[in-house]
Amino acid sequence: MNRFKTLKFYLLSIAVLTGTAVAQPTPPHDVFGQITDNGEAAEGITVEAEVNGDIVDSDTTDSNGDYQVRIPYQDSTYNLIVDGTEERSGVQIESGMSENYDKEGDY
């Protein structure tokens, strides 16, 4: 009976430790903001996140000019492209951070 309790304890410990390790994923980096044109919300503008020459996420601004893109990599740099123009280049990020970037332009 005592060996059964010991085995049960070890199996439960392994399950808890494994579950703890799996339950802590590293979240992506979020970039969000509002695109405006002469103070008015700019709807339908494409915003892209680029890492190492690859577009990793894109969004189109809604009727409020709001967008959000996610960068799924840890500790890297990204470029933010708004309406085909690189607006931010080589921005260093750390995983799990969120960043607000608003842009006033002539769209």
Side-chain angles (χ1 to χ4, degrees), residues 10-105:
Y10 285 126
L11 290 175
L12 182 59
S13 297
I14 290 170
V16 169
L17 291 174
T18 303
T20 301
V22 173
Q24 297 176 353
T26 305
H29 180 79
D30 291 323
V31 181
F32 60 93
Q34 183 182 46
I35 307 298
T36 55
D37 181 4
N38 295 317
E40 299 292 323
E43 183 177 7
I45 302 298
T46 301
V47 179
E48 300 170 308
E50 178 187 64
V51 176
N52 296 326
D54 295 323
I55 302 299
V56 296
D57 196 13
S58 67
D59 194 14
T60 302
T61 56
D62 63 16
S63 61
N64 297 317
D66 295 329
Y67 73 92
Q68 179 178 355
V69 292
R70 294 191 130 186
I71 301 164
Y73 303 110
Q74 297 184 52
D75 305 326
S76 61
T77 60
Y78 75 93
N79 303 325
L80 192 67
I81 301 167
V82 178
D83 201 32
T85 302
E86 188 172 276
E87 295 294 337
R88 302 187 76 196
S89 178
V91 180
Q92 180 68 39
I93 61 169
E94 293 179 22
S95 187
M97 294 175 57
S98 291
E99 175 180 17
N100 184 13
Y101 179 72
D102 296 333
K103 172 72 176 141
E104 170 68 34

